[in-house]
């Protein structure tokens, strides 16, 4: 059986480890002896873009868009962030430029039997569409936003939360020395997980998330409450998708990607200016941006990469196609891709996890 692997959407730590464990498990000589099927593993460069743009009849194009994977090639991959297969935000089903016929034709010409797709809701949405068109697909969840439905965990999230915590630890010394307020902007699109968990584990004083439009007066009131106390600075974490009450999200520009998404960003600067203007407290801001997706994977992401990769091969052997590997209550399982992509994004449940008075995580858990 020929397995193709591709990574799509924003990169993150954990992708390379997953590719390694899909490959190792597929080609493991001890397992091969016990199976009735043998595998070839083919990496597709640059996500769906590679599979759309390749000319299967042209050797040069094949060399550019394909990477044959074996145990030697992937041996050290789990230590490194990013994706050695490259990624893109290409949508072959984009109604403005529908290239799905070419995609399906290429899959057939390349003799691909099953595609393992590692991605978030957009990339896995394509895997789901292909499944409905008769192509065998298996999905693996990844997104630092951790907003994919049907799984408690998506690759890259833990590393990103650690980056937020480490950077805020660093900021504290300079913020304290200068008695300044620092507003730190995280990624996360329309889900507040990164800001909430990153803020909670770094002890941020205020956390602003997309799920609860904030009142700037309340933010300033909370900061003023601290005046005269021993604490000389405050950390405010704001998710890129957070919005002041009655206002829209702040976007970088009007450009949309192939899936129709605008680029969010800039809310930290708005909040910092408002705080300084309204309270007179010296305030700076920092946008963590793509640093959150960079660096080596955390221990948790390496473990999840391994488990998700191994599970994908189990699913192929069991012919569980059109499904996504998922982590539910600490156990690896799988759910239909349709459930992961059609249910809408998994966002923060305010009643359960957010304190709307303190603008922070709740202080009641049970
Ligand atoms: O979905 C992952 C994510 O990192 C979001 O948190 C962020 O809004 C977006 O991707 C940034 O995308 P790009 O890499 O295209 O700037």
């Amino acid at each position: 059986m020929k397995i193709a692997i591709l990574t799509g959407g924003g990169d993150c730590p954990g992708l390379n480890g997953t590719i390694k464990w899909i490959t190792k498990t597929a080609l493991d000589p001890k397992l091969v002896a016990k199976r009735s099927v043998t595998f070839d593993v083919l990496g597709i460069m640059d996500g769906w873009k590679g599979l759309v743009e390749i000319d299967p009849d042209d050797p040069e194009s094949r060399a550019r868009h394909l990477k044959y994977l074996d145990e030697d090639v992937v041996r050290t991959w789990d230590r490194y962030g990013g994706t050695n297969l490259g990624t893109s935000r290409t949508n072959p089903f984009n109604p403005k430029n529908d290239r799905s016929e070419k995609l399906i034709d290429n899959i057939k010409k390349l003799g691909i039997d099953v595609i393992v797709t590692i991605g978030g809701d957009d990339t896995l949405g394509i895997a789901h569409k292909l499944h409905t068109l008769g192509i065998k697909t298996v999905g693996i969840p990844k997104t630092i936003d951790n907003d994919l439905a049907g799984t408690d965990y998506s690759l890259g999230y833990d590393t990103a939360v650690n980056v937020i915590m480490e950077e805020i630890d660093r900021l504290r010394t300079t913020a304290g020395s200068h008695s300044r307020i620092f507003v730190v902007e995280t990624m996360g699109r329309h889900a507040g997980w990164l800001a909430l968990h990153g803020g909670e584990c770094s002890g941020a004083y205020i956390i602003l998330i997309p799920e609860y439009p904030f009142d700037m007066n309340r933010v300033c009131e909370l900061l003023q409450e601290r005046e005269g106390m021993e604490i000389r600075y405050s950390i405010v974490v704001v998710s890129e998708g957070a919005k002041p009450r009655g206002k829209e999200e702040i976007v970088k520009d009007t450009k949309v990607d192939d899936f129709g998404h605008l680029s969010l960003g800039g809310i930290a600067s708005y909040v910092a200016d408002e705080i300084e203007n309204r309270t007179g407290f010296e305030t700076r801001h920092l946008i963590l941006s793509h640093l959150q997706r960079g660096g080596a994977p955390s221990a948790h992401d390496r473990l999840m990469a391994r488990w998700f990769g191994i599970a994908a091969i189990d699913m192929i052997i069991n012919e569980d196609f059109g499904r996504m590997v998922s982590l539910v209550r600490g156990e690896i399982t799988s759910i239909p891709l349709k459930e992961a992509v059609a249910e809408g994004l998994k966002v923060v449940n305010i009643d359960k996890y957010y304190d709307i008075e303190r603008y922070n995580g709740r202080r009641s858990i049970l």
Side-chain angles (χ1 to χ4, degrees), residues 9-12 89 120-122 142-147 186-191 194 240-241 252 257 261-265 289-290 292-293:
D11 74 321
C12 70
R89 293 197 188 275
D121 62 324
D122 294 329
K142 76 85 223 177
T143 163
I144 66 161
D145 304 343
N146 206 31
D147 57 358
T186 69
M187 282 187 167
R189 282 231 166 99
H190 308 292
L194 271 181
E240 63 179 3
K252 283 189 191 132
D257 69 14
H261 303 300
L262 287 157
S263 263
L264 300 176
S289 188
H290 294 77
Q292 292 160 99
R293 298 211 312 240

Side-chain angles (χ1 to χ4, degrees), residues 58-74:
D58 173 9
E60 240 179 61
S61 172
R62 288 173 78 102
R64 201 167 52 249
H65 295 293
L66 305 177
K67 195 176 180 78
Y68 285 88
L69 302 174
D70 62 26
E71 293 208 49
D72 286 339
V73 172
V74 299

Side-chain angles (χ1 to χ4, degrees), residues 46 48-56 61 64-65 90 99 102 106:
D46 304 324
W48 296 118
K49 180 169 183 270
L51 215 40
V52 168
E53 289 185 359
I54 190 171
D55 175 357
S61 172
R64 201 167 52 249
H65 295 293
T90 298
R99 291 181 288 171
K102 173 112 194 293
N106 284 346

